């Protein structure tokens, strides 16, 4: 008779910060799930900022540690010195905590943690959160990540099948797998008859999110006929440009941008339609969450992310990237066709089941267990 006994594991997560971005939300959602899992003995969460708390409090059992790693460099010498300091601090943390495995979110952090772990016997898993072929990285990090992922990372996790295909081409020989994002705890789905005639969107206000195209598409739609409004949740460097665009198009009072909101899920649940206009993505949490909240969704068909979330258009409308007329047509359809909105919004339970937090968290545990082999046969 063979008995398998799981040895509880100590996992250490490395993330840039806790300001509420997509990667940060995934990391904290997984950490909360693992904190109550008997297969996990301890969770450590390391950030590269000197302070900060997540939008929602973490369980007291999670060891939160902040490192002064986020520094601006004025020249090459300063950059080399700053990265050497980062390397030393990260290596010190790994030697101090002695985790059974480290999970590093995003490319730059993953490269640094993987290099810092050399000689520590700590397996490092890279968690990519963007399209592997279109990372928002400086040239040095683009070059470094290829050999690091191919020869040093114990595993590289992407979020979609399309991302897996891209990573296979880029990082030939790396140990790759795809694990989608988990849904956080969500409010109940609101009665559709009580929702506002509101089109919502959400994300960081940066060029790649395509909010300029979305605003223009909305301006050309039939929003006046039904009294529809557009609300964009999020903050970022594009705010002033987008606000000027709203004024130029005469949409004051119709389009609003309330900024970052801790209760964004409650706000999204008030909307009837969710529109996503990103030019590139990894796995857009906002689109997934809106669909799971019962919004009828339309999204640009980026290289990775939306197509798989919306099941190739079965669960939401897909339009080409940067195609303003196509987005306008899709918005008009969702404004005009009650039956279409109801059909698309009615898939919310399917999203919640498929992206259940416990299921996704267990897939990560299974991956770590396969790498660390925490099994004793008696």
């Amino acid at each position: 008779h063979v008995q398998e006994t799981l040895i509880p594991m100590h996992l250490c997560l490395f993330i840039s910060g806790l300001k509420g971005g997509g990667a940060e939300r995934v990391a904290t959602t997984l950490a909360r799930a693992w904190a109550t899992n008997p297969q996990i003995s301890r969770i450590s969460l390391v950030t590269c900022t000197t302070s900060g708390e997540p939008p929602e409090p973490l369980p007291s059992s999670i060891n939160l540690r902040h490192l002064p790693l986020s520094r601006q460099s004025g020249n090459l010498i300063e950059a080399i010195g700053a990265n050497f300091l980062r390397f030393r601090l990260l290596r010190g943390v790994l030697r101090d905590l002695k985790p059974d495995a480290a999970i590093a979110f995003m490319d730059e952090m993953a490269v640094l943690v993987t290099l810092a772990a050399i000689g520590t016997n700590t397996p490092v898993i890279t968690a990519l959160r963007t399209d592997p072929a279109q990372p928002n990285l400086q040239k040095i990090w683009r070059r470094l990540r290829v050999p690091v992922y191919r020869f040093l990372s114990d595993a590289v996790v992407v979020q979609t099948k399309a991302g897996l295909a891209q990573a296979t081409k880029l990082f030939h020989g790396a140990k790759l797998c795809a694990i989608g994002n988990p849904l956080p705890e969500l409010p109940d789905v609101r009665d559709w008859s009580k929702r506002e005639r509101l089109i919502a969107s959400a994300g960081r206000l940066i060029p790649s999110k395509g909010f300029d195209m979305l605003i223009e598409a909305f301006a050309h739609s039939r929003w006046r006929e039904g009294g529809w409004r557009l609300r964009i949740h999020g903050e970022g460097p594009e705010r002033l440009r987008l606000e000027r665009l709203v004024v130029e198009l005469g949409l004051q009072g119709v389009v609003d941008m309330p900024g970052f909101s801790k209760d964004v899920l409650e706000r999204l649940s008030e909307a009837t339609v969710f529109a996503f206009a990103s030019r590139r993505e990894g796995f857009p949490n906002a689109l997934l969450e809106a669909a799971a909240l019962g919004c009828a969704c339309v999204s640009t068909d980026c290289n990775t992310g939306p197509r798989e979330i919306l099941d190739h258009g079965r669960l939401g409308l897909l339009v080409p990237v940067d195609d303003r007329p196509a987005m306008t047509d899709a918005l008009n359809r969702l404004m005009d066709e009650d039956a279409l909105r109801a059909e698309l919004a009615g898939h919310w339970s399917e999203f919640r089941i498929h992206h259940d937090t416990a299921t996704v968290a267990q897939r990560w545990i299974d991956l770590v267990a396969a790498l660390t082999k925490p099994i004793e046969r008696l």
Side-chain angles (χ1 to χ4, degrees), residues 199 213-214 272-278 284 287 291 295-302 305-321 323 325-345 347 351:
I199 298 170
M213 189 274 277
L214 177 59
T272 301
V273 172
F274 183 85
F276 198 69
S278 220
L287 177 62
C295 296
C297 294
V298 56
S299 173
T300 46
D301 191 8
C302 307
R307 175 169 286 267
E308 289 186 37
I309 290 175
L310 299 180
D311 193 15
H312 301 268
R314 183 176 69 88
L315 307 178
L317 303 182
L318 290 168
V319 300
V321 173
D323 191 330
M327 179 62 81
T328 297
D329 289 344
L331 292 177
N332 284 336
R333 286 189 63 194
L334 291 173
M335 292 177 190
D336 297 342
E337 301 177 29
D338 294 348
L340 176 61
R341 292 201 306 271
E343 177 190 351
L344 296 179
H347 293 295
F351 284 101

Side-chain angles (χ1 to χ4, degrees), residues 189-222:
V189 173
R190 296 196 181 204
D191 187 329
W192 292 301
S193 65
K194 297 179 181 177
R195 297 192 183 212
E196 303 177 41
R197 296 180 79 77
L198 173 67
I199 298 170
S201 193
R204 184 160 165 74
L205 305 184
I206 54 178
S208 65
K209 294 297 182 180
F211 290 122
D212 52 345
M213 189 274 277
L214 177 59
I215 292 170
E216 291 175 358
F218 178 79
H220 286 83
S221 73
R222 293 190 289 272

Side-chain angles (χ1 to χ4, degrees), residues 29-282:
T29 296
L30 290 172
R32 290 188 186 93
W34 290 330
T36 58
N37 191 306
Q39 291 175 262
I40 306 298
S41 61
R42 185 182 179 194
I43 297 290
S44 296
L45 183 58
V46 180
T47 80
C48 63
T49 55
T50 54
S51 62
E53 293 294 330
E56 296 180 14
L58 291 170
S60 58
S61 59
I62 294 177
N63 172 31
L64 182 59
R65 184 176 295 199
H66 300 290
L67 299 178
L69 302 181
S70 182
R71 296 184 178 183
Q72 295 295 324
S73 302
N75 54 55
L76 179 61
I77 299 300
E78 289 183 6
I80 293 173
N83 283 306
F84 182 71
L85 175 62
R86 294 184 180 107
F87 174 86
R88 288 183 56 194
L89 289 172
L90 290 170
R91 191 169 180 82
V93 166
L94 289 168
R95 285 178 164 172
D96 178 34
L97 295 177
K98 296 181 176 62
D100 293 296
I103 301 173
F105 288 79
M106 306 297 285
D107 285 285
E108 188 173 332
M109 180 66 80
V111 170
L112 285 169
V113 172
T114 303
L115 293 175
I118 293 174
T120 66
N121 294 320
T122 302
V124 178
I125 301 172
T126 293
L128 297 186
R129 304 291 96 187
T130 59
D131 179 355
Q134 301 184 67
N136 184 23
L137 290 171
Q138 295 178 357
K139 186 179 294 186
I140 183 63
W141 296 108
R142 280 175 176 262
R143 291 178 176 176
L144 275 174
R145 68 182 188 143
V146 174
V148 168
Y149 297 167
R150 288 184 63 188
F151 304 114
L152 297 177
S153 290
D154 291 271
V156 177
V157 177
V158 297
Q159 300 154 295
T160 63
K161 293 177 181 177
L164 188 61
Q166 297 277 19
T168 300
K169 295 176 184 177
L170 289 166
F171 315 125
H172 179 68
K175 299 173 184 176
L176 301 166
C177 69
I179 302 177
N181 288 354
L183 281 166
E185 185 175 349
L186 298 172
D188 293 336
V189 173
R190 296 196 181 204
D191 187 329
W192 292 301
S193 65
K194 297 179 181 177
R195 297 192 183 212
E196 303 177 41
R197 296 180 79 77
L198 173 67
I199 298 170
S201 193
R204 184 160 165 74
L205 305 184
I206 54 178
S208 65
K209 294 297 182 180
F211 290 122
D212 52 345
M213 189 274 277
L214 177 59
I215 292 170
E216 291 175 358
F218 178 79
H220 286 83
S221 73
R222 293 190 289 272
W223 62 269
R224 291 182 180 85
E225 297 177 14
W228 288 82
R229 295 177 296 113
L230 172 64
R231 178 172 297 153
I232 299 172
H233 298 274
E235 197 52 81
E238 285 278 282
R239 169 171 286 279
L240 290 179
R241 190 174 78 87
L242 294 174
E243 289 177 339
R244 285 196 296 267
L245 181 61
V246 169
V247 173
E248 290 171 8
L249 296 172
L251 296 174
Q252 305 96 309
V254 181
V255 176
D256 67 293
M257 293 182 287
F260 176 78
S261 175
K262 289 186 177 181
D263 62 346
V264 65
L265 296 178
E266 287 286 352
R267 303 286 72 80
L268 290 180
S269 70
E270 298 168 352
T272 301
V273 172
F274 183 85
F276 198 69
S278 220
R279 295 177 170 109
R280 65 174 182 266
E281 277 296 338

